[in-house]
Amino acid sequence: MALEQGERQRGYMIGQAAFAARPLEPALYLVATPIGNLSDITIRALETLAAADIVACEDTRVTRVLLDRYGIRRRTTAYHEHNAAEAGPKLVEAVLGGRSVALVSDAGTPLVSDPGFRLVGEVTQAGGRVVPIPGPSALLAALTASGLPSDAFLFAGFLPSKAGQRRSRLEELRAVPATLVFYESPRRLADTLGAMAEVLGERDAAVGRELTKTFEEMRRASLQELARAYAEEDTPRGEIVICIGPPAASAQPDAQDIDALLVSLSSELGASRAAGEAAKMTGARKGDLYRRLMELKGDAG
């Protein structure tokens, strides 16, 4: 379908073929973008980026590479953790004023380890519409390629950089009966794997690096073997995803583990929801966990 010159501002290219983008309703569109290979993008994502009145992104230079690849001539605006307080209200106002806003991260699905959740909350609280445009995700790519159980998994994001806080967080996660997925920086990978091996014990694990890119690598071994290997090697390059298998079925959480889990969950959720989530993770009864949480809160008080 050929586009007239004026229409190119609201169209996109795939190879030598040009396509017109249909108008969008006023909303905040959460557009997943490639995590490496620029071919990993959906037709719906291209159409949304081409049609949006505003394209908000972490780094306008990174997003411009993607837009140029597909002939999308849209202006971009920055929205990231350092300007969210200033840029967020303007984007909310745009949505409420009848405009379409496409939000993208530098790579993958928006809101996963980036500040987009604040903007979603602001738009929904103001009565605006939020529309997900699903697509690439580093954590799902690594999980599916890891060979580890995927029927239940917990994405734990980045661990704290300080050793003590990192260990405490791992202790909280030790009893979770699910595959654990983390993001990590290359320079901290060896130390993090060492701490994981020490706290979580003998488990199957996998490290994904540069997924979908030219030097993609997925290494599968025991957690201890991976920790030793990366401790002996030079610092790797690229984006890192760590997947760790669940604890052995016979390894039931002890009372201290359950208490730590309850306290951790209750810091983010209400007491009832915290007890409910802990029940799913441990197999214990929600009522018993709720009463125990109340005891812990009473002792803390």
Side-chain angles (χ1 to χ4, degrees), residues 81-99:
E81 61 180 341
H82 302 297
N83 77 340
E86 177 183 356
K90 296 179 182 178
L91 295 176
V92 174
E93 183 179 355
V95 172
L96 298 182
R99 307 186 76 187

Side-chain angles (χ1 to χ4, degrees), residues 96-153:
L96 298 182
R99 307 186 76 187
S100 55
V101 176
L103 176 68
V104 300
S105 63
D106 284 350
T109 301
L111 277 68
V112 180
S113 291
D114 74 41
F117 75 94
R118 301 174 195 162
L119 182 59
V120 170
E122 292 167 356
V123 170
T124 55
Q125 289 176 10
R129 184 182 175 208
V130 176
V131 180
I133 310 295
S137 168
L139 77 94
L140 291 178
L143 176 65
T144 54
S146 70
L148 298 171
S150 57
D151 56 332
F153 67 91

Side-chain angles (χ1 to χ4, degrees), residues 31-42 45 66 105 107-110 112 133-141 183 211-212:
V31 184
T33 57
I35 60 176
N37 191 318
L38 293 184
S39 295
D40 293 335
I41 191 164
T42 67
L66 175 66
S105 63
T109 301
V112 180
I133 310 295
S137 168
L139 77 94
L140 291 178
Y183 287 167
L211 297 178
T212 79

